[in-house]
Amino acid sequence: MIKQLLISIIFIFSISAYGQSYKIIKLVNDQVITNYDLEKRLQLFSILNNVEITDNNIDHYAKEMIKLMVDEKIQIEQIKKYNIKIKESEIKEFTEKILMSSDDAKNIENELKINDINISILEDSIKIQLGWNELSNRLFYRDAEISEIDLKNALSQNPSLSIEQAKYLITQNQVELRSRKLLRDLRAESNIENR
């Protein structure tokens, strides 16, 4: 499966077998995404999700992954702008949770080694998501408002929730919605070029 993926990606992106000539496929403001970056992210996605990427679905997965990678570049800019710092211990903890959530964690680690995928690719993605979550909470948490109607709806949909749990979920939902809107706005304002 992984060998087929690698062959498909190598063929599609025309990576030279001798000199590994990588090309820029997206420019996001002043940050680049190369075909090599995309190849490694698709391989990581395939291994972590036990998904076979084939000639029939590679276009779909590549488009989705590029969109995610563009968003990450935009998020990195904002994380730096607001000086958000994430502890290495948090990143390691989340990485271990992801790896251990699989039934065959040892096999995943072996697949990463066999396919020359550095675990830092996963750690960098986790760092961006943790940083973005921290930034979103800083920007939007205090402004969240919980109406009686929202609280009643949340409790009726899930009666096992306590009032505090329901308030927390409503607040997190509001933060998430505003965070997505911010990212859409930032994406619209960014200089994103195909290469």
Side-chain angles (χ1 to χ4, degrees), residues 84-88 90-91 126-127 130-132 134:
I84 303 292
K85 303 289 183 205
I86 302 299
K87 295 177 185 174
E88 288 299 317
E90 289 180 78
I91 298 166
I126 290 170
K127 182 177 182 179
L130 291 174
W132 185 252
E134 175 66 24

Side-chain angles (χ1 to χ4, degrees), residues 15-16 19-24 34-37 39:
I15 296 176
S16 166
Q20 294 281 325
S21 61
Y22 305 118
K23 71 177 202 178
I24 296 171
T34 67
N35 57 345
Y36 177 79
D37 299 329
E39 174 189 338

Side-chain angles (χ1 to χ4, degrees), residues 12-172:
I12 287 172
F13 295 115
S14 304
I15 296 176
S16 166
Y18 297 106
Q20 294 281 325
S21 61
Y22 305 118
K23 71 177 202 178
I24 296 171
I25 56 175
K26 281 277 189 192
L27 185 63
V28 183
N29 297 327
D30 62 347
Q31 301 178 82
V32 298
I33 299 172
T34 67
N35 57 345
Y36 177 79
D37 299 329
L38 178 59
E39 174 189 338
K40 291 301 178 186
R41 289 295 290 271
L42 285 171
Q43 287 175 330
L44 179 65
F45 171 81
S46 175
I47 292 168
L48 291 177
N49 295 288
N50 196 24
V51 170
E52 184 175 358
I53 298 180
T54 65
D55 290 339
N56 294 332
N57 65 17
I58 193 165
D59 287 343
H60 168 74
Y61 285 122
K63 285 177 187 173
E64 291 300 311
M65 189 59 67
I66 288 172
K67 183 180 175 196
L68 172 68
M69 294 168 76
V70 166
D71 286 350
E72 286 180 343
K73 297 295 184 190
I74 294 167
Q75 289 169 327
I76 288 169
E77 291 175 351
Q78 295 302 305
I79 290 166
K80 287 179 181 176
K81 177 181 174 182
Y82 286 91
N83 199 28
I84 303 292
K85 303 289 183 205
I86 302 299
K87 295 177 185 174
E88 288 299 317
S89 59
E90 289 180 78
I91 298 166
K92 295 288 183 198
E93 180 183 331
F94 272 84
T95 303
E96 287 175 14
K97 282 181 183 177
I98 289 171
L99 293 176
M100 294 304 150
S101 68
S102 167
D103 294 335
D104 197 3
K106 203 63 168 165
N107 189 39
I108 288 176
E109 290 178 30
N110 289 336
E111 286 290 332
L112 294 175
K113 286 178 188 173
I114 289 168
N115 291 285
D116 193 30
I117 301 172
N118 193 321
I119 196 72
S120 67
I121 296 170
L122 176 60
E123 291 172 342
D124 289 344
S125 184
I126 290 170
K127 182 177 182 179
I128 294 165
Q129 290 311 305
L130 291 174
W132 185 252
N133 289 345
E134 175 66 24
L135 174 60
S136 298
N137 280 324
R138 283 190 194 180
L139 293 176
F140 306 124
Y141 192 83
R142 279 186 238 120
D143 295 336
E145 294 179 8
I146 301 170
S147 71
E148 286 299 317
I149 293 171
D150 290 338
L151 189 56
K152 284 179 184 178
N153 286 339
L155 291 170
S156 69
Q157 289 174 1
N158 191 346
S160 66
L161 291 176
S162 70
I163 291 175
E164 289 307 312
Q165 289 171 325
K167 286 181 179 180
Y168 175 80
L169 290 175
I170 293 166
T171 301
Q172 286 307 114

